[in-house]
Every structure is written in structure tokens, then in C-alpha cells.
Amino acid sequence: MVRDRIPKTWISGWFLSICFLLPFSFCNIIPGLQKQESNHNNLLLGLAAYTYLTSGNCETGGDIWARNIQTQTSYCVPVELVASQPNVEVYRQKNLSVNYDLQAFAVEFNDQTYPKLVSAFGAPSDVDKNGKIKILVLDIIDGAKANTSYVAGFYDPINYFPDQKQSSLRSNYAEVLYLDGKELIDSLVRDPTAFSSTAAHEFQHLIRYPFMVETRATDDLWINEGTSEVASDIAGFGPQKYRIECYRGTDSARCPNGANGVSLLNWSNQTNSSTILKQYALAYVYMRYIYDISGSTDAERNSFFKKTVQGNSIGIRAGYAGQLMTVLRDMPAYNSGLLGATDTEAFFRTFILLMGQTSAATNFSNVERVTATSPITTSIVDLSGAYTMYPLGSNLADLATTPIVPVPVANSVLTTGSANSYAINFSNFSTLPYMNIATVKNSGNTRTVLAWGAYSASSTSSIRELTATKESAESRYKSLITEGERSEKGALPLCGTGFINDEFHNVGSIPVEPPASKNDNTP
């Protein structure tokens, strides 16, 4: 059950002030008043005991720093070790009642999640030299209220750097994952794998982060978060059914119209829960598709993901879409004759293939491609061979049987033709000159999927370098019908996993400024 939460830092600080007054005000009791004050003494002693139990000792003790999501400052969490395995230690916040078998979870993480994700992404860092991941189960301070989103878990990159006592953000200088012990546990009634899946999601972020620092890269959120979504699958907690339902719009209350009109490359910073859900749903579905077609075995697919995180033979890792395609094109399963010989072409074709297949379109031999040139031109691309060779994998098979329905909207470049069919309105291209728009029809030409599958080929260093309005429009990567949203860039993400109405989704990342160097933890 979702509840309003009062920040424990405020509570502890208030009780601590009372405790400091005790020696001066109440420890030297006036004899004549001792009997009358006995009840008062008992109350204050109780408050002092509570303070001792709820105020951790992170400076010299074994407690753990955590981030207050509301204030973006650290506070010390008193903890107790509840389970220890060769690869993980699980801690619980003292006095937090957790209705979940954390010892069994520790065994599961150690024996299942850890080896599977290390196989897929590589070994995690070990800055504290203990060879273990610490998982703290706590009541995350996120200001959650009833029927609103709440943070179910996060990885804080501050812990990768040495602690700086003068900073408002403190480091444990250890590999730490934070999981919510309240609402996340309550949600297990509806999703029994939510706790384990969240841990797997955050573990990918932990493994990935040092490689971001090493290359001074800010990986695009859709790649980082989409990969973490697939990581939950790899760990054995998939497919992500709520993501799939959101993608196709089955859950109309939370994800109306599904992925129609959602941008993949440029994420919106909106706090609108529906937009957030759709962004993560699209990132999951695309990254799952790319993972599936990257190889014919788990070992080959894991090799692909490891290269996207750590770098391929020449050090290119997947920080943005072009790099992701470079790594994909190096894989033995990649057929350049079917998917293209350039990053731009690979990106366009894989996205069109995904959009078509998940929209029940089948006429891939007659894909109409529109370019944003002057004059506007169209060409026919035959993707029938690619469609046959790169079908949806088993985790996305449900989207083939129950697909998303494209939805035309006002001011779209589509106009309604005969029943259930659409045609491109070229007059709109005078103000909407998008590059690499394509349509895919079904075999009877009664329904057309329209998708933008492009990013700017003129920006060679990063597709995230958007300038003028026209350039940003052409550089967006849009799905189905409508335009995407622009997002801000340049901050390393504190990645948080959340739930809305007790159903799985990821909330937007909290920006943390890039450190000045690998040995710096400047927030």
C-alpha cells in the first residue's frame, strides 16, 4: 500500500537535538522532582534509544550512506547484515519490517542474477576490494504519495568515487544497490518477480557506469535504460509484460495509444507518468529486438551486449545510436546486404523492421521511403529478406499476435485514405522535412505503419548534438505517427526504478554532473 512518507533525516535530526539536551536538562534530576519527572524521563530515554537505532554511524561504523531523493543529499542509514553470499551482501535498514525472504533473495542474486549478468556485461568494479555487491533494502525517501510513482530502487554513481566529507553527497566507496523495502515489497502481490527484476535492472547500471567514466561518455538514456530492462530478462525475470502492454497500448489507462508518437532517441524530461512509461516501453522493445538479432545463441548475444558496455575490438562502445549500430554491424549474425553497410542505414532498417512487425504489417518488399530533400523524393526499399531473417524473438512474440495499432493524429504527415489506410500528405513536408520516413503496409494494403527511422548523418561525433530546429527534427528518432520530444543532455544518470499504481516501470533519471576525473566524486 502506497503511503505518504516523512523524511527520516528530519525525524532523526529532531530526536538528536532532544538527546543532546538530556545530560543538561534531565540527567541531573532535582531530588524533589524526581518522582514527578519519572514518566518524562522514561519518555526521553525512549527517544534517545530510538535516536540511537535510527541514526546510523557512517563515519566510523558499518552503516551505509544513502541519497535522499527529494533533497539530493546523503543521510546515514543504520543497517544490519541479513545475508552474506560469495558475491553479495544484503543489508536491511534497522527497524524496517520487510515482509520478504531476504536470505533467499541473496542466494538467488548470487547464484542466478550475478553470474548471468556478469556473462552478459562483464564483472563489476570492486573499489572497496571485498569482491561483493552490497544491496541495501531501505525505505527510500522519495516523497511518494498514494497513487503516485515511487522509486523502487536505484544505483548511485557517487559510490564509485572516494568519499568527500565536505560534500552534501557522501560516498560509501563501494558497489551498492538500493532497493525499496516498502512499496516495492507490497507490489509483489501483483508481480512476484518485481524485487528480483529491479535488482537485475540496477546491477546493469552498476556494471556499466565505470566504462562511462573511463570513456568520459554520457550514454543515451534509452540505451542505458533499455539495456537494463533486457538485463532483467537475461537474469530470468522476463519478458517484461507490463512494458509490452504499455508499448501496444493494452493498458489504455496508463499508456493510451501505446508507443504511437514516442521518441526513442530524445527522451522527454516530462514527469508525466504515461510519457515515462512509453519511453521505457519503447526502449525495452527496441533493445530486446536488437539483442535478439545480434546472434543465434545466448553466448553470441551476450557478447554483443558486453561490447556495447565495454567496447568492441577497437574500443567503440554504445553511448549513442551510431555506436550501437557500429557494434551490431561487427557481429557475425549481421548481414550488411539485408540491414545496410552504414550505421545510419542499419538504424533505419532495424527500427522499420521492428515497427512493422509489431504493427502487423507484412509487405516488407514494398517499403516506401521518403527523404527530406528538395525536391522531396521517394524510393522503394525491399526488406522482405531482412523480415524473414530477423523476426521477433520469443520474448516479443506476443506483439506479433496482438500488435499495436497505429493512430493518426492532427497535423500528422498522414492523411486518411480509404477505410483503415493512410497516405503521406506531402504538402506538410514544407514545414516537416523529416529524413528517412518510411511506410510499411500489410499484404492487403489496408493499413500503413509510418515511422521515422533516422538520425542526422551530418553530425559525425554524436547524434545528440542537435542545433537548429530543422536539424533537431531530422535527427529525432520517432515511432509510428507523431513527433517525439526534445530532451536535455549532458548529465550522468542516477538511474531509478519505480512503480506507478504498483505496476513496473522506470522513472526518469536524476542527473549527476560528470566528475572532473576518475578519482573525483564531485557531484
Side-chain angles (χ1 to χ4, degrees), residues 368-391:
E368 184 182 29
R369 183 177 191 167
V370 183
T371 60
T373 59
S374 181
I376 296 167
T377 61
T378 61
S379 60
I380 301 299
V381 180
D382 185 354
L383 295 182
S384 58
Y387 169 62
T388 300
M389 187 169 181
Y390 301 109

mmCIF file with all atom_site columns, all heavy atoms in Angstrom, residues 368-391:
data_model
loop_
_atom_site.group_PDB
_atom_site.id
_atom_site.type_symbol
_atom_site.label_atom_id
_atom_site.label_alt_id
_atom_site.label_comp_id
_atom_site.label_asym_id
_atom_site.label_entity_id
_atom_site.label_seq_id
_atom_site.pdbx_PDB_ins_code
_atom_site.Cartn_x
_atom_site.Cartn_y
_atom_site.Cartn_z
_atom_site.occupancy
_atom_site.B_iso_or_equiv
_atom_site.pdbx_formal_charge
_atom_site.auth_seq_id
_atom_site.auth_comp_id
_atom_site.auth_asym_id
_atom_site.auth_atom_id
_atom_site.pdbx_PDB_model_num
ATOM 1   N N   . GLU A 1 368 ? 7.972  2.002   -48.606 1.00 0.00 ? 368 GLU A N   1
ATOM 2   C CA  . GLU A 1 368 ? 8.105  3.315   -49.231 1.00 0.00 ? 368 GLU A CA  1
ATOM 3   C C   . GLU A 1 368 ? 8.911  4.235   -48.334 1.00 0.00 ? 368 GLU A C   1
ATOM 4   O O   . GLU A 1 368 ? 8.535  4.524   -47.207 1.00 0.00 ? 368 GLU A O   1
ATOM 5   C CB  . GLU A 1 368 ? 6.729  3.925   -49.494 1.00 0.00 ? 368 GLU A CB  1
ATOM 6   C CG  . GLU A 1 368 ? 6.783  5.241   -50.239 1.00 0.00 ? 368 GLU A CG  1
ATOM 7   C CD  . GLU A 1 368 ? 5.400  5.837   -50.442 1.00 0.00 ? 368 GLU A CD  1
ATOM 8   O OE1 . GLU A 1 368 ? 4.527  5.575   -49.589 1.00 0.00 ? 368 GLU A OE1 1
ATOM 9   O OE2 . GLU A 1 368 ? 5.202  6.557   -51.422 1.00 0.00 ? 368 GLU A OE2 1
ATOM 10  N N   . ARG A 1 369 ? 10.025 4.696   -48.859 1.00 0.00 ? 369 ARG A N   1
ATOM 11  C CA  . ARG A 1 369 ? 10.945 5.522   -48.080 1.00 0.00 ? 369 ARG A CA  1
ATOM 12  C C   . ARG A 1 369 ? 10.934 6.953   -48.618 1.00 0.00 ? 369 ARG A C   1
ATOM 13  O O   . ARG A 1 369 ? 11.062 7.180   -49.813 1.00 0.00 ? 369 ARG A O   1
ATOM 14  C CB  . ARG A 1 369 ? 12.350 4.942   -48.171 1.00 0.00 ? 369 ARG A CB  1
ATOM 15  C CG  . ARG A 1 369 ? 13.407 5.665   -47.359 1.00 0.00 ? 369 ARG A CG  1
ATOM 16  C CD  . ARG A 1 369 ? 14.720 4.917   -47.504 1.00 0.00 ? 369 ARG A CD  1
ATOM 17  N NE  . ARG A 1 369 ? 15.730 5.370   -46.583 1.00 0.00 ? 369 ARG A NE  1
ATOM 18  C CZ  . ARG A 1 369 ? 16.863 4.707   -46.353 1.00 0.00 ? 369 ARG A CZ  1
ATOM 19  N NH1 . ARG A 1 369 ? 17.089 3.564   -46.979 1.00 0.00 ? 369 ARG A NH1 1
ATOM 20  N NH2 . ARG A 1 369 ? 17.744 5.171   -45.509 1.00 0.00 ? 369 ARG A NH2 1
ATOM 21  N N   . VAL A 1 370 ? 10.786 7.887   -47.705 1.00 0.00 ? 370 VAL A N   1
ATOM 22  C CA  . VAL A 1 370 ? 10.704 9.291   -48.079 1.00 0.00 ? 370 VAL A CA  1
ATOM 23  C C   . VAL A 1 370 ? 11.924 10.013  -47.526 1.00 0.00 ? 370 VAL A C   1
ATOM 24  O O   . VAL A 1 370 ? 12.283 9.835   -46.358 1.00 0.00 ? 370 VAL A O   1
ATOM 25  C CB  . VAL A 1 370 ? 9.420  9.944   -47.531 1.00 0.00 ? 370 VAL A CB  1
ATOM 26  C CG1 . VAL A 1 370 ? 9.322  11.391  -47.984 1.00 0.00 ? 370 VAL A CG1 1
ATOM 27  C CG2 . VAL A 1 370 ? 8.204  9.143   -47.955 1.00 0.00 ? 370 VAL A CG2 1
ATOM 28  N N   . THR A 1 371 ? 12.545 10.821  -48.314 1.00 0.00 ? 371 THR A N   1
ATOM 29  C CA  . THR A 1 371 ? 13.701 11.585  -47.859 1.00 0.00 ? 371 THR A CA  1
ATOM 30  C C   . THR A 1 371 ? 13.337 13.050  -47.706 1.00 0.00 ? 371 THR A C   1
ATOM 31  O O   . THR A 1 371 ? 12.394 13.536  -48.326 1.00 0.00 ? 371 THR A O   1
ATOM 32  C CB  . THR A 1 371 ? 14.872 11.474  -48.853 1.00 0.00 ? 371 THR A CB  1
ATOM 33  O OG1 . THR A 1 371 ? 14.448 11.976  -50.122 1.00 0.00 ? 371 THR A OG1 1
ATOM 34  C CG2 . THR A 1 371 ? 15.315 10.030  -49.006 1.00 0.00 ? 371 THR A CG2 1
ATOM 35  N N   . ALA A 1 372 ? 14.103 13.742  -46.892 1.00 0.00 ? 372 ALA A N   1
ATOM 36  C CA  . ALA A 1 372 ? 13.826 15.156  -46.628 1.00 0.00 ? 372 ALA A CA  1
ATOM 37  C C   . ALA A 1 372 ? 14.687 16.032  -47.518 1.00 0.00 ? 372 ALA A C   1
ATOM 38  O O   . ALA A 1 372 ? 15.353 16.952  -47.071 1.00 0.00 ? 372 ALA A O   1
ATOM 39  C CB  . ALA A 1 372 ? 14.082 15.473  -45.169 1.00 0.00 ? 372 ALA A CB  1
ATOM 40  N N   . THR A 1 373 ? 14.690 15.722  -48.782 1.00 0.00 ? 373 THR A N   1
ATOM 41  C CA  . THR A 1 373 ? 15.463 16.500  -49.735 1.00 0.00 ? 373 THR A CA  1
ATOM 42  C C   . THR A 1 373 ? 14.549 17.476  -50.462 1.00 0.00 ? 373 THR A C   1
ATOM 43  O O   . THR A 1 373 ? 13.334 17.437  -50.310 1.00 0.00 ? 373 THR A O   1
ATOM 44  C CB  . THR A 1 373 ? 16.139 15.570  -50.761 1.00 0.00 ? 373 THR A CB  1
ATOM 45  O OG1 . THR A 1 373 ? 15.126 14.810  -51.439 1.00 0.00 ? 373 THR A OG1 1
ATOM 46  C CG2 . THR A 1 373 ? 17.107 14.636  -50.068 1.00 0.00 ? 373 THR A CG2 1
ATOM 47  N N   . SER A 1 374 ? 15.139 18.315  -51.235 1.00 0.00 ? 374 SER A N   1
ATOM 48  C CA  . SER A 1 374 ? 14.357 19.248  -52.042 1.00 0.00 ? 374 SER A CA  1
ATOM 49  C C   . SER A 1 374 ? 14.811 19.114  -53.495 1.00 0.00 ? 374 SER A C   1
ATOM 50  O O   . SER A 1 374 ? 15.961 19.406  -53.821 1.00 0.00 ? 374 SER A O   1
ATOM 51  C CB  . SER A 1 374 ? 14.556 20.678  -51.559 1.00 0.00 ? 374 SER A CB  1
ATOM 52  O OG  . SER A 1 374 ? 13.771 21.567  -52.327 1.00 0.00 ? 374 SER A OG  1
ATOM 53  N N   . PRO A 1 375 ? 13.977 18.624  -54.395 1.00 0.00 ? 375 PRO A N   1
ATOM 54  C CA  . PRO A 1 375 ? 12.576 18.249  -54.129 1.00 0.00 ? 375 PRO A CA  1
ATOM 55  C C   . PRO A 1 375 ? 12.470 16.927  -53.371 1.00 0.00 ? 375 PRO A C   1
ATOM 56  O O   . PRO A 1 375 ? 13.394 16.122  -53.372 1.00 0.00 ? 375 PRO A O   1
ATOM 57  C CB  . PRO A 1 375 ? 12.007 18.116  -55.550 1.00 0.00 ? 375 PRO A CB  1
ATOM 58  C CG  . PRO A 1 375 ? 13.185 17.677  -56.360 1.00 0.00 ? 375 PRO A CG  1
ATOM 59  C CD  . PRO A 1 375 ? 14.360 18.423  -55.802 1.00 0.00 ? 375 PRO A CD  1
ATOM 60  N N   . ILE A 1 376 ? 11.327 16.721  -52.715 1.00 0.00 ? 376 ILE A N   1
ATOM 61  C CA  . ILE A 1 376 ? 11.081 15.507  -51.952 1.00 0.00 ? 376 ILE A CA  1
ATOM 62  C C   . ILE A 1 376 ? 11.061 14.308  -52.894 1.00 0.00 ? 376 ILE A C   1
ATOM 63  O O   . ILE A 1 376 ? 10.469 14.350  -53.962 1.00 0.00 ? 376 ILE A O   1
ATOM 64  C CB  . ILE A 1 376 ? 9.746  15.609  -51.197 1.00 0.00 ? 376 ILE A CB  1
ATOM 65  C CG1 . ILE A 1 376 ? 9.834  16.740  -50.165 1.00 0.00 ? 376 ILE A CG1 1
ATOM 66  C CG2 . ILE A 1 376 ? 9.391  14.298  -50.521 1.00 0.00 ? 376 ILE A CG2 1
ATOM 67  C CD1 . ILE A 1 376 ? 8.508  17.126  -49.600 1.00 0.00 ? 376 ILE A CD1 1
ATOM 68  N N   . THR A 1 377 ? 11.732 13.263  -52.476 1.00 0.00 ? 377 THR A N   1
ATOM 69  C CA  . THR A 1 377 ? 11.771 12.057  -53.292 1.00 0.00 ? 377 THR A CA  1
ATOM 70  C C   . THR A 1 377 ? 11.338 10.859  -52.477 1.00 0.00 ? 377 THR A C   1
ATOM 71  O O   . THR A 1 377 ? 11.407 10.864  -51.250 1.00 0.00 ? 377 THR A O   1
ATOM 72  C CB  . THR A 1 377 ? 13.180 11.799  -53.842 1.00 0.00 ? 377 THR A CB  1
ATOM 73  O OG1 . THR A 1 377 ? 14.085 11.622  -52.730 1.00 0.00 ? 377 THR A OG1 1
ATOM 74  C CG2 . THR A 1 377 ? 13.661 12.955  -54.702 1.00 0.00 ? 377 THR A CG2 1
ATOM 75  N N   . THR A 1 378 ? 10.894 9.840   -53.153 1.00 0.00 ? 378 THR A N   1
ATOM 76  C CA  . THR A 1 378 ? 10.548 8.578   -52.508 1.00 0.00 ? 378 THR A CA  1
ATOM 77  C C   . THR A 1 378 ? 11.256 7.455   -53.246 1.00 0.00 ? 378 THR A C   1
ATOM 78  O O   . THR A 1 378 ? 11.588 7.568   -54.427 1.00 0.00 ? 378 THR A O   1
ATOM 79  C CB  . THR A 1 378 ? 9.028  8.319   -52.532 1.00 0.00 ? 378 THR A CB  1
ATOM 80  O OG1 . THR A 1 378 ? 8.595  8.244   -53.887 1.00 0.00 ? 378 THR A OG1 1
ATOM 81  C CG2 . THR A 1 378 ? 8.277  9.406   -51.799 1.00 0.00 ? 378 THR A CG2 1
ATOM 82  N N   . SER A 1 379 ? 11.494 6.393   -52.527 1.00 0.00 ? 379 SER A N   1
ATOM 83  C CA  . SER A 1 379 ? 12.095 5.214   -53.132 1.00 0.00 ? 379 SER A CA  1
ATOM 84  C C   . SER A 1 379 ? 11.499 3.985   -52.477 1.00 0.00 ? 379 SER A C   1
ATOM 85  O O   . SER A 1 379 ? 10.945 4.057   -51.369 1.00 0.00 ? 379 SER A O   1
ATOM 86  C CB  . SER A 1 379 ? 13.615 5.228   -52.970 1.00 0.00 ? 379 SER A CB  1
ATOM 87  O OG  . SER A 1 379 ? 13.967 5.242   -51.591 1.00 0.00 ? 379 SER A OG  1
ATOM 88  N N   . ILE A 1 380 ? 11.621 2.853   -53.129 1.00 0.00 ? 380 ILE A N   1
ATOM 89  C CA  . ILE A 1 380 ? 11.105 1.593   -52.596 1.00 0.00 ? 380 ILE A CA  1
ATOM 90  C C   . ILE A 1 380 ? 12.277 0.769   -52.075 1.00 0.00 ? 380 ILE A C   1
ATOM 91  O O   . ILE A 1 380 ? 13.270 0.551   -52.777 1.00 0.00 ? 380 ILE A O   1
ATOM 92  C CB  . ILE A 1 380 ? 10.345 0.795   -53.671 1.00 0.00 ? 380 ILE A CB  1
ATOM 93  C CG1 . ILE A 1 380 ? 9.179  1.621   -54.203 1.00 0.00 ? 380 ILE A CG1 1
ATOM 94  C CG2 . ILE A 1 380 ? 9.848  -0.530  -53.097 1.00 0.00 ? 380 ILE A CG2 1
ATOM 95  C CD1 . ILE A 1 380 ? 8.153  2.004   -53.149 1.00 0.00 ? 380 ILE A CD1 1
ATOM 96  N N   . VAL A 1 381 ? 12.169 0.355   -50.843 1.00 0.00 ? 381 VAL A N   1
ATOM 97  C CA  . VAL A 1 381 ? 13.186 -0.477  -50.214 1.00 0.00 ? 381 VAL A CA  1
ATOM 98  C C   . VAL A 1 381 ? 12.605 -1.852  -49.974 1.00 0.00 ? 381 VAL A C   1
ATOM 99  O O   . VAL A 1 381 ? 11.507 -1.984  -49.407 1.00 0.00 ? 381 VAL A O   1
ATOM 100 C CB  . VAL A 1 381 ? 13.669 0.134   -48.879 1.00 0.00 ? 381 VAL A CB  1
ATOM 101 C CG1 . VAL A 1 381 ? 14.730 -0.738  -48.232 1.00 0.00 ? 381 VAL A CG1 1
ATOM 102 C CG2 . VAL A 1 381 ? 14.184 1.546   -49.093 1.00 0.00 ? 381 VAL A CG2 1
ATOM 103 N N   . ASP A 1 382 ? 13.324 -2.876  -50.385 1.00 0.00 ? 382 ASP A N   1
ATOM 104 C CA  . ASP A 1 382 ? 12.877 -4.249  -50.193 1.00 0.00 ? 382 ASP A CA  1
ATOM 105 C C   . ASP A 1 382 ? 13.521 -4.817  -48.928 1.00 0.00 ? 382 ASP A C   1
ATOM 106 O O   . ASP A 1 382 ? 14.723 -5.091  -48.900 1.00 0.00 ? 382 ASP A O   1
ATOM 107 C CB  . ASP A 1 382 ? 13.260 -5.099  -51.408 1.00 0.00 ? 382 ASP A CB  1
ATOM 108 C CG  . ASP A 1 382 ? 12.701 -6.525  -51.314 1.00 0.00 ? 382 ASP A CG  1
ATOM 109 O OD1 . ASP A 1 382 ? 12.122 -6.872  -50.265 1.00 0.00 ? 382 ASP A OD1 1
ATOM 110 O OD2 . ASP A 1 382 ? 12.859 -7.283  -52.293 1.00 0.00 ? 382 ASP A OD2 1
ATOM 111 N N   . LEU A 1 383 ? 12.724 -4.954  -47.876 1.00 0.00 ? 383 LEU A N   1
ATOM 112 C CA  . LEU A 1 383 ? 13.206 -5.511  -46.605 1.00 0.00 ? 383 LEU A CA  1
ATOM 113 C C   . LEU A 1 383 ? 12.631 -6.899  -46.359 1.00 0.00 ? 383 LEU A C   1
ATOM 114 O O   . LEU A 1 383 ? 12.662 -7.390  -45.231 1.00 0.00 ? 383 LEU A O   1
ATOM 115 C CB  . LEU A 1 383 ? 12.831 -4.580  -45.447 1.00 0.00 ? 383 LEU A CB  1
ATOM 116 C CG  . LEU A 1 383 ? 13.465 -3.188  -45.435 1.00 0.00 ? 383 LEU A CG  1
ATOM 117 C CD1 . LEU A 1 383 ? 13.031 -2.420  -44.194 1.00 0.00 ? 383 LEU A CD1 1
ATOM 118 C CD2 . LEU A 1 383 ? 14.978 -3.274  -45.507 1.00 0.00 ? 383 LEU A CD2 1
ATOM 119 N N   . SER A 1 384 ? 12.122 -7.524  -47.411 1.00 0.00 ? 384 SER A N   1
ATOM 120 C CA  . SER A 1 384 ? 11.493 -8.841  -47.223 1.00 0.00 ? 384 SER A CA  1
ATOM 121 C C   . SER A 1 384 ? 12.498 -9.884  -46.750 1.00 0.00 ? 384 SER A C   1
ATOM 122 O O   . SER A 1 384 ? 12.192 -10.727 -45.898 1.00 0.00 ? 384 SER A O   1
ATOM 123 C CB  . SER A 1 384 ? 10.827 -9.300  -48.521 1.00 0.00 ? 384 SER A CB  1
ATOM 124 O OG  . SER A 1 384 ? 11.772 -9.358  -49.586 1.00 0.00 ? 384 SER A OG  1
ATOM 125 N N   . GLY A 1 385 ? 13.721 -9.830  -47.272 1.00 0.00 ? 385 GLY A N   1
ATOM 126 C CA  . GLY A 1 385 ? 14.740 -10.774 -46.822 1.00 0.00 ? 385 GLY A CA  1
ATOM 127 C C   . GLY A 1 385 ? 15.110 -10.542 -45.369 1.00 0.00 ? 385 GLY A C   1
ATOM 128 O O   . GLY A 1 385 ? 15.282 -11.499 -44.604 1.00 0.00 ? 385 GLY A O   1
ATOM 129 N N   . ALA A 1 386 ? 15.237 -9.284  -44.973 1.00 0.00 ? 386 ALA A N   1
ATOM 130 C CA  . ALA A 1 386 ? 15.545 -8.958  -43.585 1.00 0.00 ? 386 ALA A CA  1
ATOM 131 C C   . ALA A 1 386 ? 14.392 -9.355  -42.662 1.00 0.00 ? 386 ALA A C   1
ATOM 132 O O   . ALA A 1 386 ? 14.610 -9.814  -41.540 1.00 0.00 ? 386 ALA A O   1
ATOM 133 C CB  . ALA A 1 386 ? 15.834 -7.467  -43.453 1.00 0.00 ? 386 ALA A CB  1
ATOM 134 N N   . TYR A 1 387 ? 13.173 -9.170  -43.148 1.00 0.00 ? 387 TYR A N   1
ATOM 135 C CA  . TYR A 1 387 ? 11.985 -9.550  -42.382 1.00 0.00 ? 387 TYR A CA  1
ATOM 136 C C   . TYR A 1 387 ? 11.990 -11.046 -42.096 1.00 0.00 ? 387 TYR A C   1
ATOM 137 O O   . TYR A 1 387 ? 11.657 -11.493 -40.991 1.00 0.00 ? 387 TYR A O   1
ATOM 138 C CB  . TYR A 1 387 ? 10.739 -9.137  -43.153 1.00 0.00 ? 387 TYR A CB  1
ATOM 139 C CG  . TYR A 1 387 ? 9.431  -9.676  -42.629 1.00 0.00 ? 387 TYR A CG  1
ATOM 140 C CD1 . TYR A 1 387 ? 8.972  -9.350  -41.363 1.00 0.00 ? 387 TYR A CD1 1
ATOM 141 C CD2 . TYR A 1 387 ? 8.639  -10.503 -43.422 1.00 0.00 ? 387 TYR A CD2 1
ATOM 142 C CE1 . TYR A 1 387 ? 7.762  -9.835  -40.890 1.00 0.00 ? 387 TYR A CE1 1
ATOM 143 C CE2 . TYR A 1 387 ? 7.428  -10.986 -42.965 1.00 0.00 ? 387 TYR A CE2 1
ATOM 144 C CZ  . TYR A 1 387 ? 7.000  -10.654 -41.695 1.00 0.00 ? 387 TYR A CZ  1
ATOM 145 O OH  . TYR A 1 387 ? 5.802  -11.136 -41.232 1.00 0.00 ? 387 TYR A OH  1
ATOM 146 N N   . THR A 1 388 ? 12.404 -11.838 -43.077 1.00 0.00 ? 388 THR A N   1
ATOM 147 C CA  . THR A 1 388 ? 12.457 -13.293 -42.901 1.00 0.00 ? 388 THR A CA  1
ATOM 148 C C   . THR A 1 388 ? 13.593 -13.703 -41.974 1.00 0.00 ? 388 THR A C   1
ATOM 149 O O   . THR A 1 388 ? 13.432 -14.590 -41.124 1.00 0.00 ? 388 THR A O   1
ATOM 150 C CB  . THR A 1 388 ? 12.630 -13.984 -44.266 1.00 0.00 ? 388 THR A CB  1
ATOM 151 O OG1 . THR A 1 388 ? 11.530 -13.644 -45.111 1.00 0.00 ? 388 THR A OG1 1
ATOM 152 C CG2 . THR A 1 388 ? 12.703 -15.497 -44.107 1.00 0.00 ? 388 THR A CG2 1
ATOM 153 N N   . MET A 1 389 ? 14.726 -13.049 -42.118 1.00 0.00 ? 389 MET A N   1
ATOM 154 C CA  . MET A 1 389 ? 15.916 -13.448 -41.361 1.00 0.00 ? 389 MET A CA  1
ATOM 155 C C   . MET A 1 389 ? 15.911 -12.914 -39.936 1.00 0.00 ? 389 MET A C   1
ATOM 156 O O   . MET A 1 389 ? 16.487 -13.531 -39.043 1.00 0.00 ? 389 MET A O   1
ATOM 157 C CB  . MET A 1 389 ? 17.175 -12.972 -42.073 1.00 0.00 ? 389 MET A CB  1
ATOM 158 C CG  . MET A 1 389 ? 18.463 -13.483 -41.451 1.00 0.00 ? 389 MET A CG  1
ATOM 159 S SD  . MET A 1 389 ? 19.891 -13.164 -42.508 1.00 0.00 ? 389 MET A SD  1
ATOM 160 C CE  . MET A 1 389 ? 21.205 -13.895 -41.511 1.00 0.00 ? 389 MET A CE  1
ATOM 161 N N   . TYR A 1 390 ? 15.260 -11.797 -39.703 1.00 0.00 ? 390 TYR A N   1
ATOM 162 C CA  . TYR A 1 390 ? 15.298 -11.157 -38.381 1.00 0.00 ? 390 TYR A CA  1
ATOM 163 C C   . TYR A 1 390 ? 13.890 -10.963 -37.820 1.00 0.00 ? 390 TYR A C   1
ATOM 164 O O   . TYR A 1 390 ? 13.424 -9.834  -37.632 1.00 0.00 ? 390 TYR A O   1
ATOM 165 C CB  . TYR A 1 390 ? 16.020 -9.816  -38.469 1.00 0.00 ? 390 TYR A CB  1
ATOM 166 C CG  . TYR A 1 390 ? 17.442 -9.920  -38.961 1.00 0.00 ? 390 TYR A CG  1
ATOM 167 C CD1 . TYR A 1 390 ? 17.791 -9.457  -40.232 1.00 0.00 ? 390 TYR A CD1 1
ATOM 168 C CD2 . TYR A 1 390 ? 18.433 -10.479 -38.166 1.00 0.00 ? 390 TYR A CD2 1
ATOM 169 C CE1 . TYR A 1 390 ? 19.094 -9.555  -40.692 1.00 0.00 ? 390 TYR A CE1 1
ATOM 170 C CE2 . TYR A 1 390 ? 19.743 -10.587 -38.617 1.00 0.00 ? 390 TYR A CE2 1
ATOM 171 C CZ  . TYR A 1 390 ? 20.070 -10.126 -39.874 1.00 0.00 ? 390 TYR A CZ  1
ATOM 172 O OH  . TYR A 1 390 ? 21.366 -10.228 -40.320 1.00 0.00 ? 390 TYR A OH  1
ATOM 173 N N   . PRO A 1 391 ? 13.206 -12.060 -37.521 1.00 0.00 ? 391 PRO A N   1
ATOM 174 C CA  . PRO A 1 391 ? 11.859 -11.932 -36.944 1.00 0.00 ? 391 PRO A CA  1
ATOM 175 C C   . PRO A 1 391 ? 11.926 -11.572 -35.467 1.00 0.00 ? 391 PRO A C   1
ATOM 176 O O   . PRO A 1 391 ? 13.006 -11.572 -34.853 1.00 0.00 ? 391 PRO A O   1
ATOM 177 C CB  . PRO A 1 391 ? 11.285 -13.342 -37.134 1.00 0.00 ? 391 PRO A CB  1
ATOM 178 C CG  . PRO A 1 391 ? 12.492 -14.233 -37.029 1.00 0.00 ? 391 PRO A CG  1
ATOM 179 C CD  . PRO A 1 391 ? 13.617 -13.461 -37.690 1.00 0.00 ? 391 PRO A CD  1
#
